[in-house]
Amino acid sequence: MKPDPVFWKFANPVYLFAVIVSVLIYRSLMEYQHAQVEFYGFAENKETDINLDYPVEIVRVLVVPGQFVQKGTPLAEVINARIQQGIEEDNLGIQVLAAKERIGQTEETGRIEALELEKSNRLAAIQQKINQAKSELAYQTSLWEGLKTIQPTGLSDFHPEKEKIRSLEMEYQQAMASYDQEIKSRKENARIQRGLYFQESARIQSGIRLKEERLQHFQITAPHDGLVGNIKCREGEFFDAFVSLISFYEANPTQVKAFVHENQIIHVDLGDTFQVGSIKDNELRYRGVVIGLGSRIVEIPERMRKIPEIKSYGREVTIELPPDNALLQKEKVRLSIFR
């Protein structure tokens, strides 16, 4: 019985080789689908910038970078610079007010002295005219007395010099009353202005005392258990509102920032679970979940490359860690997953 021609056809070494190659390719594809996806990242603690919503002066810094502190531990002692600035402005305001009051009093005193001098000169001039009129009247009277046989008609009833004297004396009294009234008014105005100055000064000083009571040194405390990061302030420095004073980290890393090679990005998706293992300690292994994926391809940092000397590119991946891990801040970790 002759062998089947079909059998001999498939028994041909070429066909056998093709079949073997196909099987190997299939097995390779299957192994690739289940191959291990591995890349590197670093543990990252959640960072909080500590600042205040008003300017402050740093009195004392009570911690050092890297120090572990519990919630409520004092980190720094500060003064509210806004209140301090307000006190300084109020003190300056009192000085300005006092200077204005002194200038006002000096000006008012000068006006009063000028009025006194003007009054004295005016009254002296009128008095001089009165004296001249009286001298003229006395001279005329003496002339009539020398003429015994002729009597001056109506001398006792009307005489121009007498009328002039009465008019000047009335002018004298009116001028003196007018000056006295204006001088009195000026003095009263100076008294009122001085009273207003004392009232305003007392009001500002009362505000200063109230601010000084509020101007107490107070402490910035740790918002939760954690590590002190960068201390960006020093004693005696002033900082504006909302400027970061101290960076503060969670006690344990909460995330891993990793970089998956661009050839493997199709094997990583949101919600995937990875094994996060410490490079320095093989016993430290944790379960992490992908919670974020970068939107573009970036250069992988040298520290995160499998071969540091060769530039490579990939996608940033954010993985959430369990809170009870023992990883260190910025510690390099290995991430692996099986499909």
Side-chain angles (χ1 to χ4, degrees), residues 167-210:
S167 177
L168 289 171
E169 287 177 342
M170 185 178 297
E171 181 182 353
Y172 184 95
Q173 294 298 325
Q174 290 176 346
M176 183 171 62
S178 176
Y179 278 111
D180 287 346
Q181 181 62 35
E182 187 169 358
I183 290 170
K184 180 180 178 182
S185 177
R186 290 288 184 183
K187 288 181 178 180
E188 180 65 16
N189 183 63
R191 186 189 66 78
I192 292 173
Q193 291 300 321
R194 190 163 183 81
L196 292 175
Y197 156 73
F198 281 118
Q199 289 179 7
E200 182 64 14
S201 178
R203 185 190 67 80
I204 296 175
Q205 288 173 345
S206 177
I208 290 175
R209 287 192 294 271
L210 180 61

Side-chain angles (χ1 to χ4, degrees), residues 43-46 250 252-256 291 319-323 325:
E44 191 171 63
N45 298 50
K46 182 179 178 181
E250 296 278 357
N252 301 100
T254 57
Q255 294 178 346
V256 169
I291 59 172
I319 297 173
E320 187 176 40
L321 286 170
N325 65 83

Side-chain angles (χ1 to χ4, degrees), residues 156-325:
S156 60
D157 297 325
F158 174 79
H159 194 283
E161 291 300 325
K162 287 183 178 181
E163 289 299 319
K164 183 177 181 180
I165 291 170
R166 282 196 294 270
S167 177
L168 289 171
E169 287 177 342
M170 185 178 297
E171 181 182 353
Y172 184 95
Q173 294 298 325
Q174 290 176 346
M176 183 171 62
S178 176
Y179 278 111
D180 287 346
Q181 181 62 35
E182 187 169 358
I183 290 170
K184 180 180 178 182
S185 177
R186 290 288 184 183
K187 288 181 178 180
E188 180 65 16
N189 183 63
R191 186 189 66 78
I192 292 173
Q193 291 300 321
R194 190 163 183 81
L196 292 175
Y197 156 73
F198 281 118
Q199 289 179 7
E200 182 64 14
S201 178
R203 185 190 67 80
I204 296 175
Q205 288 173 345
S206 177
I208 290 175
R209 287 192 294 271
L210 180 61
K211 289 176 182 177
E212 286 176 341
E213 291 176 0
R214 295 172 55 197
L215 186 62
Q216 302 294 330
H217 295 185
F218 64 94
Q219 295 175 334
I220 299 174
T221 59
H224 49 73
D225 293 356
L227 298 170
V228 177
N230 293 328
I231 297 177
K232 306 170 186 179
C233 57
R234 292 184 296 179
E235 295 180 4
E237 289 183 330
F238 288 85
F239 287 85
D240 292 330
F242 303 109
V243 173
S244 177
L245 305 176
I246 299 173
S247 60
F248 194 75
Y249 296 95
E250 296 278 357
N252 301 100
T254 57
Q255 294 178 346
V256 169
K257 294 292 184 183
F259 297 87
V260 59
H261 195 276
E262 58 184 338
N263 293 336
Q264 294 182 312
I265 58 176
I266 62 173
H267 302 296
V268 180
D269 205 352
L270 291 174
D272 286 348
T273 302
F274 279 81
Q275 178 179 275
V276 181
S278 171
I279 300 294
K280 65 177 181 62
D281 187 350
N282 291 328
E283 298 298 322
L284 298 179
R285 296 181 183 180
Y286 305 98
R287 180 187 178 93
V289 179
V290 177
I291 59 172
L293 294 172
S295 60
R296 59 195 179 95
I297 299 297
V298 297
E299 182 179 337
I300 298 177
E302 181 178 339
R303 185 178 175 221
M304 300 296 109
R305 301 173 193 161
K306 291 185 178 181
I307 305 176
E309 294 76 17
I310 300 178
K311 283 188 177 181
S312 56
Y313 297 84
R315 189 179 190 184
E316 184 176 322
V317 180
T318 303
I319 297 173
E320 187 176 40
L321 286 170
D324 57 345
N325 65 83

